[in-house]
Amino acid sequence: MDAEAQERFREFVANRSSALLKTAVLLTGGDRHAAEDLLQNALIKAAGRWRRIDEPEAYVRQILYRQQISRWRLKWRRRELSVAEPPESGTAPDASSATELRLVLRAALSRLTARQRTVLVLRYFEDLPEADVARLLGCSVGTVRSTTHRSLARLRALAPELAALGPADTEPQQRLRDYSPVEVRP
């Protein structure tokens, strides 16, 4: 990569990495470490083809989605979840409803299957039409629709407290659109 391309790549990473990390966190079900790995691998792949990329953000997002799909298509699945810090016990809940909503959504999303989570992230966080989601996932539009329906039903079942945290007319779809999974520090 020449100096000019290197500089454009550095600018892209500096300007867009926080937004891409938010998407990666959603795709990994709130596992920030896995999200950072996912994003780092996507950026490494993009760096190798940087001179030939017309739309860098779309390209990197496509890599993120495809890598996540590859993870949940593997036959061998991890049964153990590694976390950086053990969960705290006996702490008082935060009074902020936004923080509470974020935690409830993160917990509910992490309990969905990777496929369900990916479909919801693409449909409602990335706001992609069903046809685009189907193309990205390599399935039919009907599969996307049925997976979306089942995923939202499971999300409602896993987190009935979502209804109590906000206006009664707000559906999980809107909550996903408004959801910011992480506070990204520069």
Side-chain angles (χ1 to χ4, degrees):
M1 189 181 323
D2 63 6
E4 180 184 331
Q6 250 183 352
E7 185 59 32
R8 284 187 297 131
F9 181 72
R10 284 188 182 127
E11 287 176 16
F12 170 76
V13 171
N15 294 332
R16 299 306 304 155
S17 62
S18 63
L20 293 167
L21 180 60
K22 286 180 182 180
T23 300
V25 168
L26 281 171
L27 288 171
T28 59
D31 184 350
R32 186 173 174 111
H33 297 289
E36 289 171 350
D37 289 344
L38 188 68
L39 179 58
Q40 183 177 9
N41 290 335
L43 290 173
I44 288 169
K45 288 182 179 184
R49 300 180 183 266
W50 187 252
R51 296 176 55 95
R52 294 172 279 185
I53 299 174
D54 294 329
E55 295 181 38
E57 185 160 354
Y59 188 84
V60 172
R61 286 182 185 275
Q62 182 93 4
I63 295 171
L64 285 173
Y65 306 144
R66 289 189 175 170
Q67 281 186 288
Q68 183 61 18
I69 291 167
S70 294
R71 284 181 65 205
W72 53 260
R73 283 186 176 161
L74 290 175
K75 291 181 180 179
W76 179 81
R77 295 182 187 228
R78 291 176 26 183
R79 294 181 184 201
E80 189 175 304
L81 176 65
S82 300
V83 293
E85 299 173 17
E88 296 179 24
S89 60
T91 59
D94 191 357
S96 169
S97 64
T99 302
E100 189 175 349
L101 174 63
R102 185 177 294 123
L103 293 172
V104 168
L105 264 174
R106 180 179 290 171
L109 284 172
S110 69
R111 292 176 59 198
L112 294 175
T113 66
R115 182 182 189 102
Q116 290 173 327
R117 190 171 45 248
T118 302
V119 168
L120 290 181
V121 168
L122 292 174
R123 283 286 292 130
Y124 299 112
F125 185 73
E126 293 293 326
D127 203 23
L128 293 177
E130 291 170 339
D132 289 351
V133 174
R135 183 180 46 78
L136 282 170
L137 299 180
C139 62
S140 70
V141 173
T143 301
V144 171
R145 286 182 184 153
S146 64
T147 303
T148 301
H149 176 74
R150 288 185 190 114
S151 302
L152 288 173
R154 184 151 185 239
L155 190 63
R156 286 184 193 104
L158 289 172
E161 61 269 30
L162 288 177
L165 292 177
D169 60 341
T170 306
E171 283 292 312
Q173 298 95 310
Q174 184 62 42
R175 293 185 190 282
L176 280 170
R177 285 187 184 103
D178 299 336
Y179 175 62
S180 176
V182 291
E183 303 283 334
V184 178
R185 296 181 188 102

